Amino acid sequence: MQQEGTGDDMGPLLPSIEITAFAAPKLPTLRCTDLLARLVELIEEHFALFDADDRLLMCNQRYRQFIEAAPELATTGVPYRTILKACVAR
């Protein structure tokens, strides 16, 4: 005969403790774009992300250094074709 609430129907009850006090301190909330930008900076290679219309969305510091002769090319919205032409012209 099972007694209600003893855990017999689900196996033995395990002791539980509240771990909230032991959890890591909460990190500041980051917007997804902020987090993505930080992650992109961790990429060790030149990295640039373009949208469906081939316009620059974001790039990392190594990519900006690569096109340092024309820093305005590392600006959001610049077409890939414009960046490519400028790099070929150097």
Side-chain angles (χ1 to χ4, degrees):
M1 182 171 169
Q2 291 182 330
Q3 293 180 342
E4 194 170 311
T6 62
D8 292 341
D9 51 337
M10 297 183 289
L13 290 177
L14 299 174
S16 63
I17 59 169
E18 177 61 46
I19 63 167
T20 305
F22 302 107
K26 291 183 180 178
L27 299 173
T29 303
L30 297 174
R31 292 188 0 229
C32 289
T33 53
D34 294 335
L35 180 58
L36 180 58
R38 289 180 183 198
L39 292 173
V40 164
E41 286 301 328
L42 294 175
I43 298 171
E44 294 181 6
E45 302 296 323
H46 302 95
F47 180 85
L49 180 65
F50 294 86
D51 66 12
D53 295 322
D54 288 334
R55 296 191 177 278
L56 183 65
L57 291 175
M58 64 175 29
C59 60
N60 64 3
Q61 183 62 34
R62 291 185 66 103
Y63 185 85
R64 287 189 288 279
Q65 290 170 346
F66 174 70
I67 59 173
E68 72 180 59
E72 68 278 1
L73 294 177
T75 305
T76 301
V78 175
Y80 175 74
R81 173 173 241 136
T82 302
I83 296 169
L84 184 61
K85 284 181 180 179
C87 289
V88 169
R90 304 198 271 171

